[in-house]
Amino acid sequence: MIKIIVLGKLKEDYLTQMVNDYLKRTSKYHKISLIELKDEEDLGVEAKSIFKHIDNKDFVVTLEIEGKSYDSIEFAKFIDNTFINYSTLTFIIGSSTGLHKSVKDRSNLALSFSRLTFPHGLFRAVLLEQIYRAFKINNHESYHK
């Protein structure tokens, strides 16, 4: 299973449609769930909320500017290899104020898509598109290029 934990709700219809489209596409390959949590001013409160949705056996990936970078093929291999040892891959996109240290400490991998800052709603769509792309690559299906 893939879980994507995000802070805050989408307000823009076009982003909601894009996110839902990639959730639907990806669900043909793997069970996937998007968990929206309340965006709090206190990162400690957010952390407690996040931890309610993480199992001890999950492989947790936090999305962080300082994290490791992959190209699309490396990301596809990462996803494929992770499911050899873990049944659940959990991605966490923090709020605009970031992630609490305890969440970063729990992370198995800090991942960066860019050193640029993205709007959180848009980044949900980017992450989902890359997960979908990874499944297309791993299944040797056209789409990647």
Side-chain angles (χ1 to χ4, degrees):
M1 167 167 210
I2 295 174
K3 289 188 282 189
I4 301 172
I5 299 173
V6 298
L7 283 297
K9 300 254 184 219
L10 286 179
K11 296 173 182 84
E12 302 87 352
D13 286 340
Y14 70 95
L15 289 175
T16 301
Q17 290 171 2
M18 189 182 316
V19 164
N20 288 339
D21 180 52
Y22 281 111
L23 281 169
K24 183 178 176 184
R25 289 182 192 206
T26 304
S27 69
K28 294 176 184 174
Y29 297 94
H30 207 84
K31 185 175 180 183
I32 187 164
S33 160
L34 181 71
I35 302 163
E36 286 185 331
L37 303 177
K38 189 171 188 271
D39 192 356
E40 303 280 354
E41 287 188 34
D42 183 336
L43 290 181
V45 172
E46 283 184 353
K48 288 178 184 175
S49 183
I50 289 168
F51 283 121
K52 290 178 183 176
H53 298 277
I54 298 174
D55 188 277
N56 290 338
K57 296 177 183 177
D58 291 6
F59 188 95
V60 175
V61 177
T62 48
L63 284 299
E64 304 179 45
I65 285 178
E66 312 84 21
K68 182 178 175 81
S69 294
Y70 292 124
D71 64 25
S72 294
I73 293 174
E74 291 168 333
F75 185 62
K77 287 179 186 173
F78 158 74
I79 287 178
D80 207 29
N81 289 336
T82 300
F83 282 123
I84 293 170
N85 296 310
Y86 296 86
S87 61
T88 303
L89 175 57
T90 300
F91 292 91
I92 302 172
I93 302 173
S95 64
S96 59
T97 52
L99 290 167
H100 191 268
K101 183 182 181 317
S102 63
V103 176
K104 291 181 178 185
D105 289 345
R106 169 58 181 88
S107 177
N108 298 94
L109 173 69
L111 179 64
S112 175
F113 275 34
S114 171
R115 295 194 47 85
L116 299 171
T117 302
F118 293 94
H120 285 77
L122 177 61
F123 189 74
R124 289 181 202 186
V126 171
L127 173 61
L128 281 161
E129 190 280 334
Q130 285 298 305
I131 292 170
Y132 173 70
R133 181 181 300 272
F135 281 106
K136 296 295 271 186
I137 290 168
N138 289 337
N139 285 286
H140 310 287
E141 297 174 5
S142 63
Y143 173 81
H144 171 55
K145 296 182 182 187

